Amino acid sequence: KAYIRQPLSYEIYDMAGSPGSECFLMRVDQNSQFFSVAAYTEQVDKRLLRRESRLDDDGALYKMFNAGTSGTSGVEKKNRRFESNTDLSTFVSGMNSSGAELENFIFDNVDLPRQLNYLAATVLTQNNDNMSKNYYLYRDSEGSGEWTQLPWDTDLTWGSHYMTNDNISHDGIWATADYVLGGRNANSPISPSHPFVGIRELQGNRSWNRLIDKLLENERVKNMFRRRLQTLVDDLLMSKVVDDRLDAMELMLESDAVRDRAKWGQFGRSQSLTQAIAVLEDDYLMPRRTHLSVTHLATNSASYPTPQTSSALLPGPAGDETSVSFGVIEGNPSSLKQEEEYIEIINTANEAIDLSGWNVTGGVEFEFLPGTILESNGRVYLSPDVSTFRSRAASPTGGEGLNVEGDYSGQVSARGEIIKLINSEGGVVDQRLTPSEESDTQKYLRITEIHFAPLEGKRFEFIELINIGPDPLDLTGVRFTNGVEAELTGSLAPGELGLVVSTPSYFPGLKILGIFSGALNNGGEQLTLRDVAGENILSFDYEGEWFTAVRNSGYSLDLRDEIADWSTWEDRLSWATSSEVGGSPGVLNPFPYSNDYDSWIHSFFTVGELEDPLVSGPMADANGDGYSNLMHYALGVDPEVVLSGSFAEIVIENDIISLQFDRLMKTPDLNLTVQISTDLLDWSSLATLTDSEAQENGLETVTYKSPIPLSSRSQQFFRIWVTQNP
């Protein structure tokens, strides 16, 4: 009657941080005539998983038709059908344990943030039809290995319930029923409105769910759930989010709801759309708000009104965040496996903290998932690879009941850096300067040249390295891990250059430090060079579009300054187009480098002007002198300087007329021609470059000779034509 229960429920799950289907109401016409109002619900499949940015669409996915009691019966496998249901059976078995074994299993195998979000959204919407069916189980099979429930079939929500006379066609609304005898014979105790609905003692539709029961059997998980539910009660249920969505949906439906009712009728009492939504607001939403924000507060437990059950002891408003800080930051694991590093975050207060929307920034980057709870007097471990963390040989590791979240990007650097813990409001809660313990290769080994698009093909690709230090560098254990993969060997003397290549035979007489597998990406990619301990020596992204001549014309990327700070390798302005096609493998990069328009303009325009193509673009005329910026670049003249006719000179010798002018040297991204016309209409004749003399200022004086003798055409016109190479 209200139509909105399904789409609104999915929206609440989504806002809570529990991945779910897109669902929306739609008008269906048949043969250009109104047919019905229907709810479109997206299938839970690989496409849904792919849409969720931090879920792997190759993870296992099961549609469940049991209460979490079997991995083979009452299940429908959706993904990874090339393998058996062993993973699900193992999970079901593990969740059937108890005590410390259960606790360790939960913390190693359940995606706690998303699972807590699922449970909390289930309570907000009072979705009780998901105990023994109507949910999915998803596992991050190739990542953390963790499981979570996903919602499905959310029509019996927002107070609507199946338990009135075992009939879905009724008008009963339940919002505060923590204990009631329901069903046809009124002899089956159920607890549809209790926050812990789904455990064995507090059943929903005369059924319970073993996964929910076992999760809330563990006191640590139950306390985490209390905090997450309280957050969502405060942020969603008590806000105007639901009211605003109800108003918007009612406005959208209006006349179509009238047509649908006239065509198909209704069950139970006759209600207009406005009346049905008013029932949802008055009979469910308002009492539900009181039930969860007042009745079940721990501070009101003495006055809890239902003797057959007990208060959920919700904690109330969030506590002081000053109790949260960094603990141990392990940047150099004794195993020399950098993936085993971790960051510990501790809470010294007696109440849990919801870390939803918090971030860690600095050398590592991580955004906490909604639903991440830092327990009272507890800790959360952050890892670049959660699965690897749980395989550590030494504590902290798996099997210890640890709350581990990840995967963060970057690494805790031995170079020393500030790592910050940022709350959801953007405030710095804590920061830590990590110690500087650089290895010699981190200090002195640098990449100086990258040839990723040689004209002759992959076999001529190379990466050039140099030792900028005062002593020989042992390269044992140094390796490329991103972009290409290669193990380096040997050593480099001070100032010595060496190459990492695809095909050594194409670099005779040059020092080869390693052979890489794969190929350098012409479009750009991240290159990561690590030392023997797995610490980053350099990790940066180069872009194929930085320099067109490098991508398309066989030039290489040359580093401008090998003794610059290591953090500048990712900056486009740290690189240049090589002086010659093919680069300069194994020798110092020749100077001057080739020019390119995008680098050239950085010397003349402000940051704001560089962002405005009408000012700094190649076809813009920055100073209004009638010449484009590209022409200024071709001639090597500041775009703010007015060009006049005096920049070129006419030379007549032996019946031949020539044009002589200065132009910028080494501009492989530019095509410059001198065109000839005798009538200012036909410019098809081209002058020939007959002389070029380099100057010390990076310019060259060039002479272009007309192919037409002056005696045959006494009137000749020259024009300089410049275009950018693609």
Side-chain angles (χ1 to χ4, degrees), residues 444-455:
Y444 303 124
L445 186 61
R446 296 293 181 264
I447 295 172
T448 54
E449 189 172 0
I450 306 169
H451 196 23
F452 59 79
L455 296 176

Side-chain angles (χ1 to χ4, degrees), residues 627 631 635 637 643-649 659-662 720:
Y627 294 95
M631 182 62 75
L635 301 178
V637 177
L643 275 174
S644 66
S646 61
F647 72 80
E649 180 181 354
L659 185 68
Q660 191 175 79
F661 57 94
D662 290 343
I720 301 171

Side-chain angles (χ1 to χ4, degrees), residues 560 579 588-593 666:
R560 293 180 181 271
S579 179
L588 291 174
N589 298 335
F591 188 82
Y593 305 113
K666 295 185 177 295

Side-chain angles (χ1 to χ4, degrees), residues 420-495:
K420 295 182 179 181
L421 179 62
I422 312 293
N423 65 19
S424 58
E425 302 298 321
V428 178
V429 176
D430 193 20
Q431 59 183 10
R432 179 79 60 83
L433 175 63
T434 61
S436 178
E437 301 171 335
E438 282 185 293
S439 64
D440 285 345
T441 48
Q442 283 183 297
K443 292 178 183 177
Y444 303 124
L445 186 61
R446 296 293 181 264
I447 295 172
T448 54
E449 189 172 0
I450 306 169
H451 196 23
F452 59 79
L455 296 176
E456 303 89 343
K458 172 191 169 183
R459 60 188 183 277
F460 284 91
E461 291 182 356
F462 68 84
I463 302 171
E464 182 185 78
L465 299 100
I466 190 173
N467 174 9
I468 62 172
D471 301 306
L473 275 181
D474 181 4
L475 302 182
T476 302
V478 174
R479 60 197 184 277
F480 280 94
T481 60
N482 281 350
V484 294
E485 295 184 0
E487 293 283 342
L488 275 58
T489 59
S491 62
L492 281 176

Side-chain angles (χ1 to χ4, degrees), residues 32 305 414 445 501 629:
S32 301
L445 186 61
V501 302
N629 294 339

